[in-house]
Amino acid sequence: MAVPRRLAAAAAALALSLTVAACGGTSGTSDASSTSDGDGTAAKHGAAPASGYPVKIENCGTTQVFDKAPSRVVVMNGASVAEVSTLLALGLGDRITANQQSYGMSEVPGRAEAIKKLPTGGVRQNDAFGIPRESMIGLRPDLVLSTTSYGFDAKNGFATRDELKNVGARSYISPQGCHDENSRLTIEDSYRLLRDMGRIFHVPGRAERIIAASRRHIDAVAAKVKGRKKPNVMMLFTNMTMGGNDFSAVVAKGIYNDILGRAGATNVFENASRTSFADLSKEKVAATAVDALVVIAYQDPNPAAYAENLFKEFPQWPAAKNHTYVTLSDSIYLSPDNDLAVERLARKLHPEAF
């Protein structure tokens, strides 16, 4: 399972991001760029709305004060698409000046294409896979979003939160991203990210509608699979190394397990690590009865091929014998679309319930 150097470096950034990281979704969310809230409130591009400001957000030990809706947003990489997807779901794509996030695919029709069309600011990423300090200042942002505190660390060559404040930019770290471990992330954190962005951009009604639709969708799916036998699932990222063993990108804890549980499944390696990811030997993986495989694609155009290769490597797995696997990308992590992951998993793992 050799990993190309750039993928290995990206995996290191992902590991840092996901273990420092951290706030779901509906198939009915809109990626339109209109900023009308749909409840009688309008926030015109570049202008403060008539009411609702200032807005104060407590974020990782700082108080971020917004006098109007941001209009020059920069989205840091962080090996995530949570932040850019949330903005698009809220219809705020026209507020983005530079976006560095992309998985290359999505469970939401048209989402990957919409992300690809966003401006990048013409910025070249540094060795830490982010926007260098000087380039960030040159973008003249009024809001910078980062999945974790990693995106504001001077040691990585990035602008700090204080430096951004000095040039008039607010900054935001996504839920659970303040610390060095995201094993406590749940679907509720995806909703929190939506709510915070809804408040900042004065579209709270839109955020609440997305959250309400997501809850209804998840509850309906969970009701269908309730009481059924839960398969033991192995979940891992494709083509990535995050440790020294053959399987170091295996999910152990975090929002992934919350989603699995709603879909009527159990993470077979949940107790293999105290942190978000387990670093496992080939022997450990081979000795475990895996009923189903969940492959999370990060910049991988063919995650199904990865699953097929694992089945050839471990033909003794019940998953290999039954050819049971699911491929996912952006909906399984912090996302406005967690409900899509729940349904996709449930339909594959419990087809008789649908």
Side-chain angles (χ1 to χ4, degrees):
M1 298 185 65
V3 180
R5 179 176 297 177
R6 177 146 181 106
L7 271 178
L14 175 67
L16 254 174
S17 167
L18 294 182
T19 55
V20 178
C23 301
T26 101
S27 56
T29 58
S30 170
D31 286 350
S33 60
S34 166
T35 54
S36 170
D37 195 30
D39 56 6
T41 302
K44 294 183 179 179
H45 182 74
S51 63
Y53 288 90
V55 168
K56 294 183 179 181
I57 300 287
E58 299 299 325
N59 185 248
C60 296
T62 72
T63 300
Q64 302 291 314
V65 181
F66 298 84
D67 297 320
K68 61 180 181 179
S71 61
R72 295 187 59 82
V73 182
V74 174
V75 185
M76 293 287 280
N77 179 11
S80 168
V81 286
E83 293 72 30
V84 70
S85 294
T86 296
L87 292 180
L88 289 175
L90 289 169
L92 300 168
D94 64 339
R95 303 304 180 93
I96 299 173
T97 293
N99 170 59
Q100 296 287 302
Q101 296 185 345
S102 174
Y103 272 14
M105 60 192 306
S106 173
E107 277 73 70
V108 181
R111 175 68 57 73
E113 292 76 15
I115 290 175
K116 188 175 181 179
K117 291 178 182 178
L118 291 172
T120 63
V123 175
R124 185 184 182 89
Q125 291 185 355
N126 63 10
D127 291 340
F129 295 92
I131 299 176
R133 177 189 178 279
E134 294 77 12
S135 298
M136 176 65 78
I137 301 302
L139 289 170
R140 298 182 295 108
D142 55 7
L143 173 61
V144 180
L145 305 179
S146 179
T147 305
T148 73
S149 57
Y150 179 89
F152 299 121
D153 194 332
K155 295 194 297 292
N156 301 319
F158 304 144
T160 66
R161 303 189 81 177
D162 284 339
E163 289 172 333
L164 290 169
K165 181 180 179 180
N166 289 339
V167 296
R170 279 59 173 172
S171 55
Y172 179 90
I173 297 172
S174 290
Q176 306 294 343
C178 312
H179 309 296
D180 62 355
E181 175 50 39
N182 74 333
S183 60
R184 293 174 295 177
L185 267 176
T186 69
I187 294 171
E188 288 299 320
D189 290 307
S190 290
Y191 297 158
R192 179 180 163 194
L193 177 56
L194 276 162
R195 284 199 175 98
D196 282 351
M197 293 301 106
R199 290 183 59 206
I200 290 170
F201 289 93
H202 202 57
V203 289
R206 196 177 308 169
E208 292 303 326
R209 284 191 289 276
I210 293 172
I211 292 168
S214 174
R215 289 192 194 279
R216 288 194 299 270
H217 191 186
I218 291 174
D219 288 347
V221 173
K224 288 179 180 292
V225 300
K226 184 178 180 180
R228 297 178 184 274
K229 183 179 180 180
K230 296 183 177 182
N232 289 320
V233 172
M234 178 183 182
M235 184 180 297
L236 76 169
F237 280 81
T238 62
N239 301 322
M240 281 195 170
T241 56
M242 297 184 188
N245 284 303
D246 293 313
F247 293 88
S248 57
V250 177
V251 171
K253 291 178 170 59
I255 192 171
Y256 317 96
N257 291 350
D258 191 10
I259 292 171
L260 272 179
R262 308 292 183 95
T266 300
N267 184 350
V268 71
F269 290 114
E270 180 177 2
N271 297 318
S273 173
R274 294 181 179 179
T275 60
S276 300
F277 292 93
D279 186 10
L280 306 176
S281 67
K282 181 177 179 179
E283 291 73 22
K284 173 68 173 177
V285 171
T288 303
V290 175
D291 297 322
L293 187 66
V294 176
V295 174
I296 306 171
Y298 175 69
Q299 299 292 352
D300 184 349
N302 194 4
Y306 186 82
E308 297 288 357
N309 288 334
L310 285 179
F311 287 162
K312 292 177 183 177
E313 192 171 1
F314 304 104
Q316 73 278 11
W317 284 350
K321 296 175 181 177
N322 298 321
H323 207 253
T324 305
Y325 71 89
V326 183
T327 61
L328 292 166
S329 57
D330 55 348
S331 65
I332 192 67
Y333 184 54
L334 196 66
S335 167
D337 309 295
N338 292 151
D339 62 312
L340 299 185
V342 171
E343 181 175 12
R344 190 161 176 170
L345 286 164
R347 283 185 176 275
K348 184 66 175 182
L349 302 177
H350 300 285
E352 71 285 352
F354 294 87

